[in-house]
Amino acid sequence: MVYLELFLIFAQVGLFGFGGGYACIPLIQSKVVDQYHWLSMGEFGDLISISQMTPGPIVINTATFVGTRIGGPWGAVVATLGSVLPSIIIVSVIAYFYKKYKHTSFVNDTMVIIHPVVAGLIGSAAFSLLMLSVFGSSSILSLDFPDFIAMSLSAVGFIVLRKFKLSPITVMLLTGAAGLALYYVFSII
């Protein structure tokens, strides 16, 4: 039964996750954290961080991790298959029709409508991750005292990325090392 649930959850994500991986984060959170309680919000935040740092699409990495956690290796296979199968089918069908009707006004109008929706979904995911990393909760109703270390490291990382044009991998490693050192020092005090 758990394999069917894993497949259906990640098939829904694959089916309704328009806009790529970051736009899917709220949908995954609603299923995995809120509805099934397979992960806590803190574990989900950690999972998203790890999924961003590992190679491959974030949804597939998330599906594989959750599947492994809930159903072992077969759970990973089922959840990963659930996340990619709808996309394979949809992209194949859309590619056929797009190639045939790409010059029509209906297709152009549809693309104009989809863009702001995707931007909103990505903004929602970014806001949830920001709230989780700074306040320890993704809900405005249950905010804790802000984590000034996380806020500072985020700001420094953003500035270094924009001003000095360092590699994102270098910035992640440097801010990660700084975070480990700072959290260690402040846990002793």
Side-chain angles (χ1 to χ4, degrees):
M1 186 63 172
V2 75
Y3 296 126
L4 180 61
E5 289 175 334
L6 282 167
F7 180 83
L8 291 176
I9 286 170
F10 285 101
Q12 286 176 359
V13 171
L15 188 60
F16 298 111
F18 297 106
Y22 295 109
C24 296
I25 291 172
L27 181 57
I28 297 170
Q29 175 189 337
S30 72
K31 296 293 185 182
V32 173
V33 176
D34 302 333
Q35 184 177 349
Y36 287 94
H37 307 288
W38 286 337
L39 298 174
S40 69
M41 194 58 203
E43 291 172 320
F44 184 73
D46 293 342
L47 167 62
I48 296 303
S49 298
I50 292 169
S51 294
Q52 290 174 348
M53 292 187 299
T54 55
I58 192 170
V59 173
I60 294 173
N61 292 344
T62 304
T64 304
F65 177 82
V66 172
T68 301
R69 175 93 184 264
I70 302 307
W74 285 111
V77 170
V78 167
T80 303
L81 184 61
S83 71
V84 298
L85 190 60
S87 298
I88 291 170
I89 294 168
I90 290 170
V91 167
S92 298
V93 171
I94 288 175
Y96 171 78
F97 285 109
Y98 182 75
K99 187 175 180 180
K100 191 171 182 178
Y101 299 108
K102 66 182 170 185
H103 299 294
T104 65
S105 64
F106 175 76
V107 172
N108 293 326
D109 292 344
T110 302
M111 297 309 284
V112 167
I113 292 169
I114 289 175
H115 287 176
V117 172
V118 170
L121 288 170
I122 292 171
S124 172
F127 182 75
S128 292
L129 290 173
L130 176 69
M131 296 300 288
L132 179 63
S133 67
V134 173
F135 293 104
S137 173
S138 65
S139 170
I140 294 177
L141 300 176
S142 61
L143 296 179
D144 292 335
F145 190 72
D147 185 344
F148 291 109
I149 295 173
M151 288 171 52
S152 301
L153 289 173
S154 296
V156 167
F158 180 78
I159 291 168
V160 167
L161 278 171
R162 292 292 173 199
K163 185 168 178 123
F164 300 107
K165 307 288 185 199
L166 287 180
S167 162
I169 295 170
T170 304
V171 174
M172 284 192 311
L173 291 173
L174 291 173
T175 55
L180 283 172
L182 288 170
Y183 284 113
Y184 178 75
V185 167
F186 284 107
S187 71
I188 295 173
I189 299 176

